[in-house]
Coordinates of all heavy atoms in Angstrom, one line a residue:
M1253 N 160.8 111.4 27.7 CA 159.7 110.5 28.0 C 158.4 111.3 27.9 O 158.3 112.4 28.4 CB 159.9 110.0 29.5 CG 158.8 109.0 29.8 SD 159.1 108.2 31.5 CE 160.5 107.2 31.1
S1254 N 157.5 110.6 27.3 CA 156.2 111.2 27.1 C 155.4 111.5 28.4 O 155.6 110.8 29.4 CB 155.3 110.3 26.2 OG 154.0 110.7 26.3
E1255 N 154.6 112.5 28.4 CA 153.8 112.8 29.6 C 152.8 111.7 29.9 O 152.2 111.6 30.9 CB 153.1 114.2 29.5 CG 154.0 115.3 29.6 CD 154.7 115.4 31.0 OE1 154.1 115.1 32.0 OE2 155.9 115.6 31.0
E1256 N 152.5 110.9 28.8 CA 151.6 109.8 28.9 C 152.2 108.5 29.6 O 151.5 107.6 29.9 CB 151.0 109.4 27.6 CG 150.2 110.5 27.0 CD 148.9 110.7 27.8 OE1 148.2 109.8 28.2 OE2 148.6 111.9 28.1
A1257 N 153.5 108.5 29.8 CA 154.2 107.4 30.3 C 153.7 107.1 31.8 O 153.5 108.0 32.5 CB 155.7 107.6 30.4
P1258 N 153.5 105.8 32.1 CA 153.0 105.5 33.4 C 153.8 106.0 34.6 O 153.3 106.4 35.6 CB 153.0 103.9 33.4 CG 153.0 103.6 32.0 CD 153.7 104.7 31.2
S1259 N 155.1 106.1 34.4 CA 155.9 106.6 35.5 C 155.8 108.1 35.8 O 156.2 108.6 36.8 CB 157.4 106.3 35.2 OG 157.8 107.0 34.0
K1260 N 155.1 108.8 34.9 CA 154.8 110.2 35.1 C 153.5 110.5 35.7 O 153.2 111.6 36.1 CB 154.9 111.0 33.7 CG 156.3 111.0 33.1 CD 157.1 112.0 33.8 CE 158.5 112.2 33.1 NZ 159.3 113.2 33.7
K1261 N 152.6 109.5 35.8 CA 151.3 109.8 36.3 C 151.1 109.0 37.6 O 151.4 107.8 37.7 CB 150.2 109.3 35.3 CG 150.3 110.1 34.0 CD 149.2 109.9 33.0 CE 148.5 108.7 32.8 NZ 147.6 108.6 31.7
A1262 N 150.5 109.7 38.6 CA 150.2 109.0 39.8 C 148.8 108.3 39.7 O 147.9 108.9 39.0 CB 150.1 110.0 41.0
T1263 N 148.7 107.1 40.1 CA 147.4 106.4 40.0 C 146.9 106.1 41.4 O 147.7 105.8 42.3 CB 147.6 105.2 39.2 OG1 148.5 104.3 39.8 CG2 147.9 105.5 37.8
A1264 N 145.7 106.1 41.6 CA 145.1 105.7 42.9 C 145.1 104.2 43.0 O 145.0 103.5 42.0 CB 143.6 106.2 42.9
P1265 N 145.3 103.7 44.2 CA 145.2 102.2 44.4 C 143.9 101.7 44.1 O 142.8 102.3 44.2 CB 145.6 102.0 45.8 CG 145.4 103.3 46.5 CD 145.5 104.4 45.4
V1266 N 143.8 100.4 43.6 CA 142.6 99.7 43.4 C 142.4 98.6 44.4 O 143.2 97.7 44.5 CB 142.6 99.1 42.0 CG1 141.3 98.4 41.7 CG2 142.8 100.2 40.9
L1267 N 141.4 98.7 45.2 CA 141.2 97.8 46.3 C 139.8 97.1 46.2 O 138.8 97.8 45.9 CB 141.3 98.5 47.7 CG 142.5 99.3 48.0 CD1 142.4 100.0 49.3 CD2 143.7 98.3 48.0
Y1268 N 139.8 95.8 46.3 CA 138.6 95.0 46.3 C 138.6 94.0 47.5 O 139.7 93.6 47.9 CB 138.5 94.2 45.0 CG 138.4 95.0 43.7 CD1 139.6 95.2 43.0 CD2 137.2 95.6 43.3 CE1 139.5 96.0 41.8 CE2 137.2 96.3 42.2 CZ 138.3 96.5 41.4 OH 138.2 97.2 40.3
G1269 N 137.5 93.6 47.9 CA 137.3 92.6 49.0 C 136.6 91.4 48.4 O 135.7 91.5 47.6
F1270 N 137.0 90.2 48.9 CA 136.4 89.0 48.4 C 136.1 88.1 49.6 O 136.8 88.0 50.6 CB 137.3 88.3 47.4 CG 137.6 89.1 46.2 CD1 138.7 89.9 46.1 CD2 136.8 89.0 45.1 CE1 139.0 90.7 45.0 CE2 137.0 89.8 43.9 CZ 138.1 90.6 43.9
N1271 N 135.0 87.3 49.4 CA 134.6 86.4 50.5 C 135.3 85.1 50.5 O 135.2 84.3 51.5 CB 133.1 86.1 50.4 CG 132.3 87.4 50.7 OD1 132.7 88.2 51.5 ND2 131.1 87.6 50.0
S1272 N 135.9 84.7 49.4 CA 136.6 83.4 49.3 C 137.7 83.5 48.3 O 137.8 84.4 47.5 CB 135.6 82.3 48.9 OG 135.2 82.5 47.6
T1273 N 138.6 82.5 48.3 CA 139.7 82.5 47.3 C 139.1 82.2 46.0 O 139.7 82.6 45.0 CB 140.8 81.5 47.7 OG1 140.2 80.2 47.9 CG2 141.5 81.9 49.0
D1274 N 138.0 81.5 45.9 CA 137.4 81.2 44.6 C 136.9 82.5 43.9 O 137.2 82.8 42.7 CB 136.2 80.3 44.7 CG 136.7 78.8 45.0 OD1 137.8 78.5 44.6 OD2 135.9 78.1 45.5
T1275 N 136.2 83.4 44.7 CA 135.8 84.7 44.1 C 137.0 85.6 43.9 O 137.0 86.4 42.9 CB 134.7 85.3 45.0 OG1 135.2 85.5 46.3 CG2 133.4 84.5 45.0
L1276 N 138.0 85.5 44.7 CA 139.2 86.3 44.5 C 139.9 85.9 43.2 O 140.2 86.7 42.4 CB 140.2 86.1 45.7 CG 141.6 86.6 45.5 CD1 141.6 88.1 45.2 CD2 142.5 86.2 46.6
S1277 N 140.0 84.6 43.0 CA 140.6 84.1 41.7 C 139.8 84.6 40.5 O 140.5 85.0 39.5 CB 140.6 82.6 41.8 OG 141.3 82.1 40.6
E1278 N 138.5 84.5 40.5 CA 137.7 85.0 39.4 C 137.9 86.4 39.2 O 138.1 86.9 38.0 CB 136.2 84.6 39.7 CG 135.9 83.2 39.7 CD 134.6 82.9 40.3 OE1 133.8 83.8 40.6 OE2 134.3 81.7 40.5
G1279 N 137.8 87.2 40.3 CA 138.0 88.7 40.1 C 139.4 89.1 39.7 O 139.5 90.0 38.9
L1280 N 140.4 88.4 40.2 CA 141.8 88.7 39.8 C 142.0 88.4 38.4 O 142.6 89.2 37.6 CB 142.7 87.9 40.7 CG 144.2 88.2 40.6 CD1 144.5 89.7 40.8 CD2 145.0 87.4 41.6
A1281 N 141.5 87.3 37.9 CA 141.7 86.9 36.5 C 141.0 88.0 35.6 O 141.6 88.4 34.6 CB 141.1 85.5 36.2
S1282 N 139.8 88.4 35.9 CA 139.1 89.4 35.2 C 139.9 90.7 35.2 O 140.0 91.4 34.2 CB 137.7 89.6 35.7 OG 136.9 88.4 35.5
F1283 N 140.4 91.1 36.3 CA 141.1 92.4 36.5 C 142.4 92.3 35.6 O 142.7 93.3 34.9 CB 141.5 92.6 38.0 CG 142.2 93.8 38.2 CD1 141.5 95.0 38.4 CD2 143.6 93.9 38.3 CE1 142.2 96.2 38.7 CE2 144.3 95.1 38.6 CZ 143.6 96.2 38.8
V1284 N 143.1 91.2 35.7 CA 144.4 91.1 34.9 C 144.1 91.1 33.4 O 144.8 91.8 32.6 CB 145.2 89.9 35.3 CG1 146.3 89.6 34.4 CG2 145.7 90.1 36.7
L1285 N 143.0 90.4 33.0 CA 142.6 90.4 31.6 C 142.2 91.8 31.1 O 142.4 92.1 29.9 CB 141.6 89.4 31.3 CG 142.1 87.9 31.3 CD1 141.0 86.9 31.1 CD2 143.2 87.8 30.1
A1286 N 141.5 92.5 31.9 CA 141.1 93.9 31.5 C 142.3 94.7 31.4 O 142.4 95.6 30.4 CB 140.2 94.5 32.6
A1287 N 143.3 94.5 32.2 CA 144.6 95.3 32.1 C 145.3 94.9 30.8 O 145.9 95.7 30.1 CB 145.5 95.0 33.3
Q1288 N 145.3 93.6 30.5 CA 145.9 93.1 29.2 C 145.2 93.8 28.0 O 145.9 94.3 27.1 CB 145.7 91.6 29.1 CG 146.1 91.0 27.7 CD 145.4 89.7 27.4 OE1 146.1 88.7 27.5 NE2 144.2 89.7 27.0
D1289 N 143.9 93.7 28.0 CA 143.1 94.3 26.9 C 143.4 95.8 26.7 O 143.6 96.3 25.6 CB 141.7 94.0 27.0 CG 141.3 92.6 27.0 OD1 142.1 91.8 26.5 OD2 140.2 92.2 27.4
E1290 N 143.5 96.5 27.8 CA 143.7 97.9 27.8 C 145.1 98.2 27.3 O 145.4 99.1 26.5 CB 143.6 98.5 29.2 CG 143.8 100.0 29.2 CD 143.6 100.6 30.6 OE1 142.9 100.0 31.5 OE2 144.1 101.7 30.8
A1291 N 146.1 97.4 27.7 CA 147.5 97.6 27.3 C 147.6 97.4 25.8 O 148.3 98.2 25.1 CB 148.4 96.6 28.0
F1292 N 147.0 96.3 25.3 CA 147.0 96.1 23.8 C 146.3 97.1 23.0 O 146.6 97.4 21.9 CB 146.5 94.7 23.5 CG 147.4 93.6 24.1 CD1 146.9 92.3 24.4 CD2 148.8 93.8 24.3 CE1 147.7 91.3 24.9 CE2 149.6 92.8 24.8 CZ 149.1 91.5 25.1
K1293 N 145.2 97.6 23.6 CA 144.5 98.7 22.9 C 145.3 100.0 22.8 O 145.3 100.6 21.7 CB 143.2 99.0 23.6 CG 142.3 100.0 22.9 CD 141.0 100.2 23.7 CE 140.1 101.2 23.0 NZ 138.9 101.4 23.8
K1294 N 146.0 100.3 23.9 CA 146.9 101.5 23.8 C 148.1 101.3 23.0 O 148.6 102.3 22.4 CB 147.3 101.9 25.3 CG 146.2 102.5 26.1 CD 146.7 102.9 27.5 CE 145.6 103.5 28.3 NZ 146.0 103.9 29.6
N1295 N 148.7 100.1 23.0 CA 149.9 99.8 22.3 C 149.8 98.5 21.5 O 150.3 97.5 22.0 CB 151.1 99.7 23.3 CG 151.3 101.0 24.1 OD1 151.5 102.0 23.5 ND2 151.2 100.9 25.4
P1296 N 149.1 98.6 20.4 CA 149.0 97.3 19.6 C 150.4 96.7 19.3 O 151.3 97.4 19.0 CB 148.3 97.8 18.3 CG 147.6 99.1 18.7 CD 148.5 99.7 19.8
G1297 N 150.5 95.4 19.4 CA 151.7 94.7 19.0 C 152.7 94.7 20.2 O 153.8 94.2 20.0
S1298 N 152.3 95.3 21.3 CA 153.3 95.3 22.5 C 153.2 94.0 23.3 O 152.4 93.1 23.0 CB 152.9 96.5 23.4 OG 151.6 96.3 24.0
T1299 N 154.0 94.0 24.3 CA 154.1 92.8 25.2 C 153.4 93.3 26.5 O 153.7 94.3 27.0 CB 155.5 92.4 25.5 OG1 156.2 92.0 24.3 CG2 155.6 91.3 26.5
F1300 N 152.5 92.4 27.0 CA 151.9 92.6 28.3 C 152.8 92.1 29.4 O 153.2 90.9 29.4 CB 150.5 91.9 28.4 CG 149.8 92.2 29.7 CD1 149.4 93.4 30.1 CD2 149.6 91.1 30.6 CE1 148.7 93.6 31.3 CE2 148.9 91.3 31.8 CZ 148.5 92.5 32.1
K1301 N 153.3 93.0 30.3 CA 154.2 92.6 31.3 C 153.5 92.5 32.7 O 152.9 93.4 33.1 CB 155.4 93.6 31.4 CG 156.2 93.6 30.1 CD 157.3 94.6 30.1 CE 158.0 94.6 28.8 NZ 159.0 95.6 28.7
L1302 N 153.7 91.4 33.4 CA 153.1 91.1 34.7 C 154.1 90.6 35.6 O 154.9 89.7 35.3 CB 152.0 90.1 34.5 CG 151.2 89.7 35.8 CD1 150.4 90.9 36.2 CD2 150.3 88.5 35.5
A1303 N 154.3 91.3 36.8 CA 155.2 90.9 37.8 C 154.4 90.2 38.9 O 153.4 90.8 39.4 CB 156.0 92.1 38.3
I1304 N 154.8 89.0 39.3 CA 154.0 88.3 40.4 C 155.0 88.0 41.5 O 156.1 87.6 41.4 CB 153.5 87.0 39.9 CG1 152.6 87.2 38.7 CG2 152.8 86.2 41.0 CD1 152.1 85.9 38.1
S1305 N 154.5 88.4 42.7 CA 155.3 88.2 43.9 C 154.4 87.8 45.0 O 153.3 88.3 45.1 CB 156.1 89.5 44.2 OG 156.4 89.6 45.5
G1306 N 154.9 87.0 45.9 CA 154.1 86.7 47.2 C 153.4 85.4 47.2 O 152.3 85.3 46.7
G1307 N 154.0 84.5 47.8 CA 153.3 83.2 48.3 C 152.4 82.6 47.3 O 152.8 82.1 46.2
S1308 N 151.1 82.5 47.6 CA 150.2 81.7 46.8 C 149.5 82.5 45.6 O 148.6 82.0 45.0 CB 149.1 81.2 47.7 OG 148.4 82.3 48.3
L1309 N 150.0 83.7 45.4 CA 149.4 84.5 44.3 C 149.3 83.8 43.0 O 148.3 83.8 42.3 CB 150.1 85.9 44.2 CG 149.6 86.8 43.1 CD1 148.1 87.1 43.3 CD2 150.4 88.1 43.0
P1310 N 150.4 83.1 42.5 CA 150.3 82.5 41.2 C 149.2 81.4 41.2 O 148.5 81.2 40.2 CB 151.7 81.8 41.0 CG 152.6 82.6 41.8 CD 151.8 83.1 43.0
K1311 N 149.1 80.7 42.3 CA 148.1 79.6 42.4 C 146.7 80.2 42.3 O 145.8 79.7 41.5 CB 148.3 78.9 43.7 CG 147.7 77.5 43.8 CD 148.0 77.0 45.2 CE 148.2 75.5 45.2 NZ 148.5 75.0 46.5
V1312 N 146.4 81.3 43.0 CA 145.1 81.9 43.0 C 144.8 82.6 41.6 O 143.7 82.4 41.1 CB 145.0 83.0 44.1 CG1 143.7 83.8 44.0 CG2 145.1 82.4 45.5
L1313 N 145.8 83.2 41.0 CA 145.6 83.9 39.7 C 145.4 82.8 38.7 O 144.5 82.9 37.8 CB 146.8 84.8 39.4 CG 146.8 85.4 38.0 CD1 145.6 86.3 37.8 CD2 148.1 86.2 37.9
G1314 N 146.3 81.8 38.7 CA 146.2 80.8 37.6 C 145.0 80.0 37.6 O 144.5 79.5 36.5
K1315 N 144.3 79.8 38.7 CA 143.1 78.9 38.8 C 142.1 79.3 37.8 O 141.5 78.4 37.2 CB 142.6 79.0 40.2 CG 141.3 78.1 40.4 CD 140.9 78.2 41.9 CE 139.7 77.3 42.0 NZ 139.1 77.3 43.4
N1316 N 141.8 80.6 37.6 CA 140.8 81.0 36.6 C 141.4 81.7 35.4 O 140.7 82.3 34.6 CB 139.8 82.0 37.3 CG 138.9 81.2 38.2 OD1 137.9 80.6 37.7 ND2 139.1 81.2 39.5
L1317 N 142.7 81.6 35.2 CA 143.3 82.3 34.1 C 143.9 81.3 33.0 O 143.8 81.6 31.8 CB 144.4 83.2 34.6 CG 145.0 84.2 33.7 CD1 144.0 85.3 33.3 CD2 146.2 85.0 34.3
I1318 N 144.4 80.2 33.5 CA 145.2 79.3 32.6 C 144.4 78.8 31.4 O 144.9 78.8 30.3 CB 145.8 78.2 33.5 CG1 146.8 78.8 34.4 CG2 146.4 77.1 32.6 CD1 147.8 77.9 35.0
E1319 N 143.2 78.4 31.7 CA 142.4 77.8 30.6 C 141.6 78.8 29.8 O 140.9 78.4 28.8 CB 141.4 76.8 31.2 CG 142.1 75.6 31.9 CD 143.0 74.8 31.0 OE1 142.6 74.6 29.9 OE2 144.0 74.4 31.5
R1320 N 141.6 80.1 30.1 CA 140.9 81.1 29.3 C 141.4 81.2 27.9 O 142.6 81.2 27.7 CB 140.9 82.4 30.1 CG 140.1 82.2 31.4 CD 139.6 83.4 32.0 NE 139.0 84.4 31.2 CZ 138.3 85.4 31.7 NH1 138.2 85.6 33.0 NH2 137.8 86.3 30.9
K1321 N 140.5 81.4 27.0 CA 140.8 81.5 25.6 C 141.2 83.0 25.2 O 141.8 83.2 24.1 CB 139.7 81.0 24.7 CG 139.3 79.6 25.0 CD 140.4 78.6 24.6 CE 139.9 77.2 24.8 NZ 141.0 76.3 25.1
D1322 N 140.8 83.9 26.1 CA 141.1 85.3 25.8 C 142.4 85.9 26.3 O 142.7 87.1 26.3 CB 139.9 86.2 26.2 CG 139.5 86.0 27.7 OD1 139.9 84.9 28.2 OD2 138.7 86.8 28.2
V1323 N 143.3 85.0 26.7 CA 144.6 85.3 27.2 C 145.6 85.2 26.0 O 145.7 84.2 25.4 CB 145.1 84.5 28.4 CG1 146.5 84.9 28.8 CG2 144.1 84.5 29.5
S1324 N 146.3 86.3 25.7 CA 147.3 86.3 24.6 C 148.6 85.9 25.1 O 149.5 86.7 25.2 CB 147.3 87.7 23.9 OG 146.0 88.0 23.4
W1325 N 148.8 84.6 25.5 CA 150.0 84.2 26.2 C 151.2 84.5 25.4 O 152.3 84.7 26.0 CB 149.9 82.6 26.5 CG 148.9 82.3 27.5 CD1 147.8 81.5 27.2 CD2 148.9 82.6 28.9 NE1 147.1 81.3 28.4 CE2 147.7 82.0 29.4 CE3 149.7 83.3 29.7 CZ2 147.4 82.1 30.8 CZ3 149.4 83.4 31.0 CH2 148.2 82.8 31.6
D1326 N 151.1 84.4 24.1 CA 152.3 84.7 23.2 C 152.8 86.1 23.3 O 153.9 86.4 22.9 CB 152.1 84.3 21.8 CG 150.9 85.0 21.2 OD1 149.9 85.3 21.9 OD2 150.9 85.3 20.0
K1327 N 152.0 87.0 23.9 CA 152.4 88.4 24.0 C 152.6 88.8 25.5 O 152.6 90.0 25.8 CB 151.3 89.3 23.4 CG 151.1 89.0 21.9 CD 149.9 89.9 21.4 CE 149.7 89.6 19.9 NZ 148.5 90.2 19.4
W1328 N 152.7 87.8 26.4 CA 152.9 88.1 27.8 C 154.4 87.9 28.2 O 155.1 87.1 27.6 CB 152.1 87.1 28.6 CG 150.7 87.5 28.9 CD1 149.8 88.0 27.9 CD2 150.0 87.4 30.1 NE1 148.6 88.2 28.5 CE2 148.6 87.8 29.8 CE3 150.3 87.0 31.4 CZ2 147.7 87.8 30.8 CZ3 149.3 87.0 32.3 CH2 148.0 87.4 32.1
S1329 N 154.8 88.7 29.2 CA 156.1 88.5 29.8 C 155.8 88.5 31.3 O 155.4 89.5 31.8 CB 157.1 89.6 29.4 OG 158.3 89.5 30.2
V1330 N 156.1 87.4 32.0 CA 155.8 87.3 33.4 C 157.1 87.2 34.2 O 157.9 86.4 33.9 CB 154.9 86.0 33.7 CG1 154.6 85.9 35.2 CG2 153.6 86.1 32.9
S1331 N 157.2 88.0 35.2 CA 158.4 88.0 36.1 C 157.9 87.4 37.4 O 156.9 87.8 38.0 CB 158.9 89.4 36.3 OG 159.3 90.0 35.1
L1332 N 158.7 86.6 38.0 CA 158.4 85.9 39.3 C 159.4 86.3 40.3 O 160.5 86.8 40.0 CB 158.5 84.4 39.1 CG 157.5 83.8 38.1 CD1 157.8 82.3 38.0 CD2 156.1 84.1 38.5
S1333 N 159.0 86.2 41.6 CA 159.9 86.5 42.7 C 161.2 85.7 42.6 O 161.2 84.5 42.3 CB 159.2 86.1 44.0 OG 160.1 86.1 45.1
P1334 N 162.3 86.3 42.8 CA 163.6 85.7 42.6 C 164.1 84.9 43.9 O 165.2 84.4 43.8 CB 164.6 86.8 42.3 CG 164.0 87.9 43.1 CD 162.5 87.8 43.1
F1335 N 163.3 84.8 44.9 CA 163.8 84.2 46.2 C 163.7 82.7 46.2 O 162.7 82.2 45.9 CB 163.1 84.8 47.4 CG 163.2 86.3 47.4 CD1 162.2 87.1 47.1 CD2 164.4 86.9 47.8 CE1 162.3 88.5 47.2 CE2 164.6 88.3 47.8 CZ 163.5 89.1 47.5
P1336 N 164.8 82.0 46.4 CA 164.8 80.5 46.3 C 164.4 79.8 47.6 O 165.1 79.0 48.2 CB 166.3 80.3 46.1 CG 167.0 81.3 46.8 CD 166.1 82.6 46.7
F1337 N 163.2 80.2 48.1 CA 162.7 79.6 49.3 C 161.4 78.8 49.0 O 160.7 79.2 48.1 CB 162.4 80.6 50.4 CG 163.6 81.4 50.8 CD1 163.7 82.7 50.4 CD2 164.6 80.8 51.5 CE1 164.8 83.5 50.8 CE2 165.7 81.6 51.9 CZ 165.8 82.9 51.5
P1338 N 161.1 77.7 49.7 CA 159.9 76.9 49.3 C 158.6 77.7 49.4 O 157.7 77.4 48.7 CB 159.9 75.8 50.4 CG 161.4 75.6 50.7 CD 162.0 77.0 50.7
S1339 N 158.6 78.8 50.2 CA 157.4 79.6 50.3 C 157.3 80.7 49.3 O 156.4 81.5 49.3 CB 157.3 80.2 51.7 OG 158.4 81.1 52.0
S1340 N 158.3 80.8 48.4 CA 158.3 81.9 47.4 C 157.6 81.5 46.2 O 157.3 80.3 45.9 CB 159.8 82.3 47.1 OG 160.4 81.3 46.4
T1341 N 157.3 82.5 45.4 CA 156.4 82.3 44.2 C 156.9 81.3 43.2 O 156.0 80.5 42.8 CB 156.3 83.7 43.5 OG1 155.8 84.6 44.4 CG2 155.5 83.7 42.3
P1342 N 158.1 81.1 42.8 CA 158.4 80.1 41.8 C 158.1 78.7 42.1 O 157.8 77.9 41.3 CB 160.0 80.3 41.6 CG 160.2 81.7 42.0 CD 159.3 82.0 43.1
F1343 N 158.0 78.4 43.4 CA 157.7 77.0 43.8 C 156.2 76.7 43.6 O 155.8 75.6 43.7 CB 158.1 76.8 45.2 CG 159.6 76.7 45.3 CD1 160.4 77.8 45.6 CD2 160.3 75.5 45.1 CE1 161.8 77.7 45.7 CE2 161.7 75.4 45.1 CZ 162.4 76.5 45.4
Y1344 N 155.3 77.8 43.5 CA 153.9 77.6 43.3 C 153.6 77.5 41.8 O 152.4 77.1 41.5 CB 153.1 78.7 43.9 CG 153.0 78.6 45.4 CD1 153.8 79.4 46.2 CD2 152.1 77.7 46.0 CE1 153.7 79.3 47.6 CE2 152.0 77.6 47.4 CZ 152.9 78.4 48.2 OH 152.8 78.3 49.5
C1345 N 154.5 77.8 40.9 CA 154.2 77.9 39.5 C 154.4 76.5 38.9 O 155.2 75.7 39.2 CB 155.1 78.9 38.8 SG 154.7 80.6 39.4

């Protein structure tokens, strides 16, 4: 495995604060799209993989992401929480 592999490098957590779910949704969409762009720049032709877990996260993320034209949906792979409870992630999608 290359020394450039993500599993070999420790990364600092990224923390942000938001005053509302609307600003959170906007910031989260921008953050995820920046990650998408960076991933495709480093590995052209690759798949952008996103794991989503936890309650209302898909709803908050999707609010400002779904209609954007700069999302390469055909190159995304999204994993959802596997728990079959009404409060789990798949029921919000």
Side-chain angles (χ1 to χ4, degrees):
M1253 183 176 287
S1254 166
E1255 288 300 317
E1256 293 296 313
S1259 61
K1260 292 283 186 177
K1261 295 186 338 185
T1263 58
V1266 178
L1267 303 174
Y1268 297 99
F1270 298 92
N1271 293 327
S1272 70
T1273 56
D1274 287 337
T1275 57
L1276 167 61
S1277 181
E1278 293 165 8
L1280 187 56
S1282 294
F1283 182 84
V1284 169
L1285 283 175
Q1288 170 203 258
D1289 295 344
E1290 183 179 337
F1292 292 154
K1293 185 178 178 182
K1294 286 182 179 178
N1295 298 301
S1298 65
T1299 300
F1300 179 66
K1301 297 177 183 178
L1302 180 68
I1304 301 175
S1305 150
S1308 61
L1309 180 59
K1311 202 178 209 178
V1312 173
L1313 176 59
K1315 182 177 180 181
N1316 283 284
L1317 193 63
I1318 295 198
E1319 299 298 324
R1320 295 204 37 174
K1321 303 294 182 208
D1322 50 346
V1323 179
S1324 300
W1325 292 115
D1326 59 326
K1327 297 177 183 174
W1328 277 45
S1329 175
V1330 179
S1331 301
L1332 302 174
S1333 168
F1335 302 108
F1337 300 109
S1339 63
S1340 69
T1341 301
F1343 289 91
Y1344 284 101
C1345 295

